[in-house]
Amino acid sequence: MADRAPSVAVIGAARGMGRATALRLVGLGRRVGAIDLDSPCSDLGYQLGNIAEAELPEEVERIGADLRDPAQAERAALLAERALGGVDQLVVAAGGIVGGRPLAETPAQELHLALEFNLVVLHNAVRAFLPLLRRSPEPASRRIVAVVSVAGGKGLWGLGAYAAAKHGMVGYLRTLAIELAEERIGVNWVSPGSTRTAMLDRSAALYGLASAEEFKEHQPFGRLIEPGEIAAAIEFLLSAGAAGMTGVDLRVDAGLGL
């Protein structure tokens, strides 16, 4: 079993950072289950990725599921276990953004949507996939890595519901890291800055910007982050080199969180 590469379930793998992560891990010879919405969805006011339209290689196992629903999360975990022969590691890269107005003027439904697409999806993924990690024949490989945001550590005008959901994810992950420490299951997360994705395009629209390229001005490095950079950080957190890490927030943000 020593030469067995860990198998990974990637939630939110249809595009953006999740897709970049799935591609990077497949390139390393990992068995990857790509999980995302199974049909078009615009509940947040823009089109989210879905697994049927994802540009992924044939060796990636595609699984359609809406992880806002606990039952669909459980089904996705079962399908991933069957397809991959077990799941050793979990990456939760799904998320969505809402906003465009002050927090005190934000309808409750908008806050609920932000929580559902970020914190609730994370929770349902953990509940469904943690039993699989516990059954892994490679205990030293067991990891949970989530994609959060610099918004999990600062306030963002006009994106209060999104920031609240991301802050909630950080509190959730810190607690999970403590609870799973005795089992030596590492729980870490990546906090991206403005990253070149469809979500950033939506953010630009919410702020009334002509282009997402304008976000460069707010990052000390003066550039956007590429999805592949987030994938590289996730790869590290899944690697043997990160075996002693848990509860770590790895910022890849061009200095935005400073």
Side-chain angles (χ1 to χ4, degrees), residues 93-116:
I97 198 163
V98 290
R101 69 192 95 197
L103 190 55
E105 300 172 14
T106 298
Q109 179 58 23
E110 195 168 284
L111 177 61
H112 293 163
L113 283 170
L115 292 170
E116 286 175 8

Side-chain angles (χ1 to χ4, degrees), residues 57 64 87 149 244-245:
V87 175
S149 168
M245 298 169 62

Side-chain angles (χ1 to χ4, degrees), residues 4-258:
R4 175 183 177 273
S7 57
V8 190
V10 181
I11 313 298
R15 64 186 185 189
M17 300 175 229
R19 175 180 176 272
T21 299
L23 291 174
R24 189 176 186 94
L25 295 176
V26 166
L28 293 171
R30 302 288 193 91
R31 292 165 296 141
V32 176
I35 301 162
D36 214 319
L37 296 167
D38 57 0
S39 60
C41 175
S42 56
D43 290 358
L44 295 175
Y46 65 103
Q47 197 64 43
L48 300 174
N50 71 81
I51 203 65
E53 300 174 357
E55 296 181 3
L56 293 166
E58 292 183 0
E59 57 264 40
V60 173
E61 296 289 342
R62 298 170 183 245
I63 299 171
D66 185 342
L67 267 71
R68 291 178 293 170
D69 179 356
Q72 291 197 43
E74 294 287 347
R75 175 180 172 273
L78 178 62
L79 292 174
E81 184 176 36
R82 288 175 178 172
L84 303 177
V87 175
D88 307 296
Q89 300 178 330
L90 172 66
V91 174
V92 184
I97 198 163
V98 290
R101 69 192 95 197
L103 190 55
E105 300 172 14
T106 298
Q109 179 58 23
E110 195 168 284
L111 177 61
H112 293 163
L113 283 170
L115 292 170
E116 286 175 8
F117 277 93
N118 294 281
L119 182 56
V120 171
V121 165
L122 172 63
H123 178 60
N124 288 342
V126 169
R127 279 183 54 88
F129 283 85
L130 183 56
L132 278 60
L133 270 63
R134 285 174 165 151
R135 293 197 290 270
S136 168
E138 298 289 342
S141 297
R142 299 180 300 177
R143 310 284 166 75
I144 296 172
V145 177
V147 175
V148 185
S149 168
V150 291
K154 63 185 297 182
L156 294 175
W157 191 96
L159 296 177
Y162 175 75
K166 293 301 185 180
H167 274 71
M169 289 178 70
V170 171
Y172 183 97
L173 291 161
R174 282 179 172 154
T175 302
L176 189 66
I178 292 171
E179 293 176 347
L180 298 183
E182 187 174 350
E183 299 177 65
R184 305 232 179 139
I185 299 176
V187 179
N188 300 294
W189 57 98
V190 179
S191 290
S194 297
T195 305
R196 204 184 301 276
T197 61
M199 187 184 295
L200 191 66
D201 292 336
R202 177 58 176 172
S203 299
L206 291 173
Y207 279 125
L209 303 179
S211 166
E213 295 298 313
E214 294 188 38
F215 285 111
K216 291 177 181 179
E217 300 175 11
H218 303 287
Q219 305 206 136
F221 273 9
R223 70 171 182 87
L224 300 180
I225 301 297
E226 299 296 335
E229 295 178 89
I230 305 304
I234 292 171
E235 177 200 336
F236 169 68
L237 291 174
L238 296 175
S239 73
M245 298 169 62
T246 197
V248 170
D249 180 356
L250 186 56
R251 286 197 348 238
V252 184
D253 63 359
L256 182 61
L258 294 175

